[in-house]
Amino acid sequence: MTSDMAGTRTLLTGAANGIGLRTAREIVARGGAVAIADIDETAGRAAAAELSEGGGTAVFIPLDVTDDESWGRAIPAALEALGGLTGLVNNAGIEISDLFVDLDPASMRRIFDVNVVGTALGIKHAFRAMRPEGGAGGGGAIVNIASVAATIAFPGIAAYSASKSAVERLTKVAAAESGRLGYGVRVNTVCPGLVPNAMGGQLAVDMERLGLFPSVDAAVGAVVSLTPSGRLATEDDIARGVVFLLSEESAFVNGVTLSVDGAMGM
């Protein structure tokens, strides 16, 4: 499977680093154009510049995913800069670990604002752009990034798990709505396993801090022991799954959850 992305134009949120940036690199390497959308302008501009250096098409667009007006500026900017829009990856997300007995309502609301409201607003504005009467008007594909945490019960991440379960349900409703209204937009979810990047590393540190595991290594070891494939996920693993769902190779794949977790959540 090569998933040729030539002619595709994709906006990725939270793409200044991590899985979002790795996915953007994969799209560009396969011939697609990307808009790096992020709240971190310094890192976002640097990421777009890096991707453009090799002859690829990449632009930076400032975006606060929790702000409807910010989305209202970002999507038209992507349309203009890329000459259209065929895909959206709702990747931006945050994780704050807490035990139930110490749960901070403000932190939980912040998680839901970014992970759930941010994803819902992305779907809203992508639908408006990609439906037949929209600025792009040719249909397309949306990929929402959830988590293996949406499919298992792991201590210390109640708010995050609930938010990612909500992302999975938003996906299915959006796919049904797009189909019923003839938008021509497929909507799917990717549930990554634990990736040893900045967010994954912080999660392991938090597990020790909360007293759930005696050490960071023990927390990581617990995740690996729950994973039949016997290792953590990589950003490459996740990026390839996202690109497949954006590509024409998945033209009849709609409303599904693709677990890229080494069977941890089965």
Side-chain angles (χ1 to χ4, degrees), residues 17-19 21-23 25 195-198 233-240:
N17 49 55
I19 290 171
L21 178 54
R22 183 65 195 87
T23 304
R25 287 190 182 119
V195 177
N197 56 13
T234 68
E235 291 183 350
D236 283 345
D237 292 328
I238 313 309
R240 291 177 190 131

Side-chain angles (χ1 to χ4, degrees), residues 17 20 35 51 53 59 78 93 106 125 164 211 216 224 256 258 263:
N17 49 55
L51 291 173
E53 284 175 0
V59 298
H125 287 276
K164 292 304 188 177
V216 168
V224 173
V256 307
L258 176 62

Side-chain angles (χ1 to χ4, degrees), residues 127-128 130-133 173-185:
F127 273 179
R128 288 185 171 189
M130 292 193 283
R131 62 187 176 179
E133 66 271 30
V173 174
E177 198 168 296
S178 173
R180 180 61 62 91
L181 295 173
Y183 291 168
V185 181

Side-chain angles (χ1 to χ4, degrees), residues 143-147 188-192 238 241-242 245 256-260:
V143 180
N144 300 319
I145 306 301
S147 170
N188 293 293
T189 301
V190 167
C191 280
I238 313 309
V242 175
L245 292 176
V256 307
T257 298
L258 176 62
S259 293
V260 188

Side-chain angles (χ1 to χ4, degrees), residues 212-233:
L212 292 166
F213 294 92
S215 67
V216 168
D217 287 345
V220 172
V223 171
V224 173
S225 71
L226 291 170
T227 306
S229 290
R231 65 171 175 85
L232 299 180

Side-chain angles (χ1 to χ4, degrees), residues 66 94 96 98 103-118 159-160 163:
T66 69
I94 61 171
I96 304 170
D98 257 334
L103 192 143
D104 178 6
S107 294
M108 188 168 189
R109 291 188 182 99
R110 177 61 179 161
I111 289 172
F112 270 72
D113 205 20
V114 174
N115 297 1
V116 182
V117 176
Y160 180 73
S163 76

